[in-house]
Amino acid sequence: MQPFTTHKGIVAPLDRSNVDTDAIIPKQYLKSVKRTGFGPTAFDDWRYLDPGEPGMDHSKRRKNPDFVLNKSPFDRATILLARENFGCGSSREHAVWALTDFGFRAVIAPSFADIFFNNSFKNGLLPIALKEEEVDALFGLVKDNPGAQVEIDLPKQTVTAPDGTQYHFDIDSFRKHCLIEGLDDIALTLEHREEIKSYETAQVAHTPWLFNDLRGHTGG
Amino acid sequence: MAGKTLYEKLFDAHAVRQQEDGTALLYIDRHLVHEVTSPQAFEGLRLAGRKPWRPGAMLAVPDHNVPTTNRAEGIVDPVSREQVSTLGRNCEEFGVQEFPMADLRQGIVHIIGPEEGFTLPGSTVVCGDSHTSTHGAIGALAFGIGTSEVEHVMATQTLLQKRSKTLQVRVEGDLGPGVTAKDVVLAIIGKIGTAGGTGYAIEFAGSAIESLSIEGRMSVCNMSIEAGARAGMVAVDEKTIEYFRDKPYAPTGEMFEQAAEYWRTLKSDSDAEFDKVVTLDATRIAPQVSWGTSPEMVAPVNGKVPDPGAEPDPVKAEGMRKALAYMGLEANTPITDISIDKVFIGSCTNARIEDLRAAAAVIKGGRVADNVTLAMVVPGSGLVREQAEKEGLDKIFLEAGFEWREPGCSMCLAMNADRLEPGERCASTSNRNFEGRQGQGGRTHLVSPAMAAAAGVAGHFVDVRQA
């Protein structure tokens, strides 16, 4: 996973609440068996005027000139600013892959849906929840100064706006650690292999009906 | 000390270890796998040289991409075909049991789990699919995960989880005739909002929930995620226990009785404290119809499309305006004046046998209206389809002009060939009315199976209580 420490970049204002993962990456692109290549079709229905299908050359499609990510300088944005409940709906991690593949390193919103929030951390995308009035202020700043850069400092847990205002954000300490170090959490969990095995052994005796496949031999 | 909620009991029973920061490594008993969110996880195992920790805890089925017609011909779309065959290859390589497309037991992953007795009360259930919350209806802790977490569960049989807050949603009183589990959950989402359950595990309780069948409770828990909650659940009662007698993967004989004894403990203690409690009066719930592009945008069938001008919150009012523009609706239109182009009866929310019976009961003798270009019934599994045919429901649907399809997710998310064309309006028993969900430019109205069937016959929404 790509580690995240500090990042400075252009903020794209997506002034919508309840942006769902179907909107971030429509279903037809979920047929891919890869983790990459979702960037050109991020926000497909909003970004293009013609319908898209997997395998198309998306650079040749008609872009919607009114959509924020089609406007300069937001087409080079690396931070997405949105309203409440960002990433709701489907569990598709493809939504996160689409955002990172587009070039986003962070999303700032007043609140996030739980599954999207979890998925982000697994892919080096930092979801930052700020207070509603802080998000409002950032929308105002970006509107007045398009292309102004915002700086994110994960170790210090701060967002610095173009006018110098600094906002603090909360983050779970374990997630912060994993993101800064770019850690593989499967390897971390497997350090507890013996504990998992002894849990299993106890459960085979306690709820044997859940362990038809393990009864008589040990797990792992 | 206060007693424990059902969620806390299930969580504590599965905590392998507690981390210092309050998160726990949670043991996962059942891992359901489908073709869309698993290929990258299997690939991750392969790249890291890892094997699944416990393949016997997994069950795989293709459902999102599968065609619902002419299945014997295979999948026409080469990209879909590749994804489904990738699942087959991965299951073979890693020793995971799969119900392939031609298997009678194939169906929507959340329908087949309980139907097979693969997901059981007291188990932890995950799947790379947000509607995994469905299995909470049987007193399980079940929630959707992303593909990285799918890989984590495959490799370790565990997930690192932070304890959720607890929300009890009590629905008290008797539901009126024609008011179903789907109407209950839509009314709940309408009340608490699409983010009302974010950060919470919901326990649905109260006399109206207790009176629902296990299948009805599944429809309710299924849409927990539409209220923002990853997990929704209902306490075990005798109905739950009876449901699992004679299910293929459920315990039998003496072990069943041993399991049942444990399952009976799976309820919140009477002195348990929830972080939040919301109560609804069941007698005031009417059949619901969604009018917008978020599941919280619902109205009673005898109501009207709301007016953004009357909404004091400007961000909310703007969201309503965008939704009405997308849906092609005017404020203050009576819901029963909205005519439809298509009907979809199916999905993990409403494609179990009771759903099909309810729809057929409304249709009986009627014909699909002339303005309805397609009305389709997609059973949730091969076994549901077989049961419906035994009962003659297929004939009722076919004689009325409905299409009788083969099982899969179908037009709930339109990954296969079943979809809405731009501007088409659908009465749908599925779970999401997001923009483009059922096809680019398509307009979805979420309703119960009975309401969808009645709309198909009338050509517009009707109050099923008067149909």
Side-chain angles (χ1 to χ4, degrees), chain A residues 153-212:
Chain A
D153 187 321
L154 177 57
K156 289 190 189 144
Q157 298 178 215
T158 55
V159 172
T160 310
D163 66 352
T165 316
Q166 214 166 59
Y167 304 107
H168 176 83
F169 62 91
D170 289 328
I171 181 170
D172 183 274
S173 60
F174 181 72
R175 280 179 163 148
K176 177 178 170 179
H177 171 69
C178 289
L179 211 45
I180 291 173
E181 303 294 333
L183 293 176
D184 170 2
D185 57 354
I186 293 179
L188 288 179
T189 297
L190 287 174
E191 289 175 10
H192 306 297
R193 181 189 300 270
E194 293 310 316
E195 281 170 89
I196 301 172
K197 282 189 182 175
S198 41
Y199 174 88
E200 257 175 356
T201 307
Q203 290 308 110
V204 172
H206 181 54
T207 54
W209 55 88
L210 288 172
F211 294 89
N212 287 333

Side-chain angles (χ1 to χ4, degrees), chain A residues 15-18 20-23 27-35 38 44-46 48-54 61 83-85 88-94 97 111-115 118-119 122-123 132 136 172-175 184-187 189-190 192-197 199-200 203 205-215 219-220, chain B residues 13-17 19 21 23 25 27 29-30 36-37 39-40 50 53-57 65 77 79-80 82-83 86 120-123 128-130 144-149 151-152 155-158 160 162 194-195 197-200 225-226 228 230 249 251 255 258-259 262-263 294 296 315 322 413-415 419 432 434-440:
Chain A
D15 199 353
R16 276 179 178 257
S17 48
N18 299 322
D20 60 75
T21 53
D22 275 76
K27 82 286 310 247
Q28 65 268 37
Y29 303 112
L30 310 190
K31 295 175 188 177
S32 167
V33 295
K34 302 198 177 91
R35 275 176 185 262
F38 297 99
D44 201 78
D45 285 0
W46 294 342
Y48 299 99
L49 294 169
D50 47 6
E53 287 298 330
R61 292 171 60 198
R83 299 289 183 181
E84 61 177 10
N85 200 28
C88 62
S90 157
S91 64
R92 58 187 72 170
E93 198 160 314
H94 312 65
W97 301 333
S111 58
F112 294 88
D114 287 341
I115 304 180
N118 272 321
N119 289 344
K122 311 285 182 188
N123 295 278
E132 207 156 328
D136 260 342
D172 183 274
S173 60
F174 181 72
R175 280 179 163 148
D184 170 2
D185 57 354
I186 293 179
T189 297
L190 287 174
H192 306 297
R193 181 189 300 270
E194 293 310 316
E195 281 170 89
I196 301 172
K197 282 189 182 175
Y199 174 88
E200 257 175 356
Q203 290 308 110
H206 181 54
T207 54
W209 55 88
L210 288 172
F211 294 89
N212 287 333
D213 56 320
L214 290 193
R215 269 182 280 157
Chain B
H14 289 86
V16 171
R17 69 190 304 273
Q19 314 261 113
D21 62 355
T23 55
L25 199 59
Y27 189 81
D29 296 311
R30 294 291 185 258
V36 179
T37 55
Q40 299 85 352
R50 291 177 176 135
W53 179 280
R54 195 183 148 201
N65 274 279
D77 176 354
V79 193
S80 287
E82 174 58 20
Q83 194 165 53
T86 300
L120 289 167
S123 61
D129 192 286
S130 61
I145 55 179
T147 297
S148 294
E149 289 185 319
E151 185 182 335
H152 191 281
T156 71
Q157 212 55 46
T158 63
L160 203 54
K162 203 171 172 172
T194 184
T198 303
Y200 290 91
I225 186 67
E226 266 58 69
R230 287 176 84 178
Y249 289 83
M255 194 175 285
Q258 188 193 339
Y262 172 65
W263 294 343
S294 164
E296 68 183 10
V315 174
K322 278 190 174 128
L413 87 167
M415 266 190 88
R419 65 186 65 170
R432 291 195 173 125
F434 299 155
E435 286 185 21
R437 171 79 178 179
Q438 294 193 290
Q440 201 190 23

Side-chain angles (χ1 to χ4, degrees), chain B residues 148-226:
Chain B
S148 294
E149 289 185 319
V150 167
E151 185 182 335
H152 191 281
V153 175
M154 285 176 175
T156 71
Q157 212 55 46
T158 63
L159 267 182
L160 203 54
Q161 284 292 301
K162 203 171 172 172
R163 200 178 280 265
S164 300
K165 290 179 283 180
T166 53
L167 164 62
Q168 188 186 43
V169 175
R170 300 193 65 84
V171 189
E172 299 285 6
D174 294 334
L175 292 170
V179 182
T180 68
K182 180 66 165 286
D183 303 303
V184 170
V185 71
L186 286 174
I188 292 169
I189 298 163
K191 183 176 170 104
I192 70 175
T194 184
T198 303
Y200 290 91
I202 302 180
E203 182 177 339
F204 298 97
S207 58
I209 300 293
E210 287 162 21
S211 73
L212 292 175
S213 67
I214 299 303
E215 295 194 357
R217 295 175 192 176
M218 288 179 195
S219 300
V220 172
C221 290
N222 172 273
M223 291 190 70
S224 304
I225 186 67
E226 266 58 69

Side-chain angles (χ1 to χ4, degrees), chain A residues 88-154:
Chain A
C88 62
S90 157
S91 64
R92 58 187 72 170
E93 198 160 314
H94 312 65
V96 175
W97 301 333
L99 295 175
T100 54
D101 203 46
F102 181 92
F104 287 115
R105 297 296 329 270
V107 183
I108 302 174
S111 58
F112 294 88
D114 287 341
I115 304 180
F116 175 87
F117 191 74
N118 272 321
N119 289 344
S120 298
F121 286 101
K122 311 285 182 188
N123 295 278
L125 179 74
L126 177 61
I128 299 176
L130 292 183
K131 293 191 187 82
E132 207 156 328
E133 56 271 24
E134 295 171 341
V135 170
D136 260 342
L138 281 174
F139 267 107
L141 278 169
V142 173
K143 201 176 146 208
D144 296 340
N145 315 281
Q149 304 220 335
V150 159
E151 194 169 355
I152 297 165
D153 187 321
L154 177 57

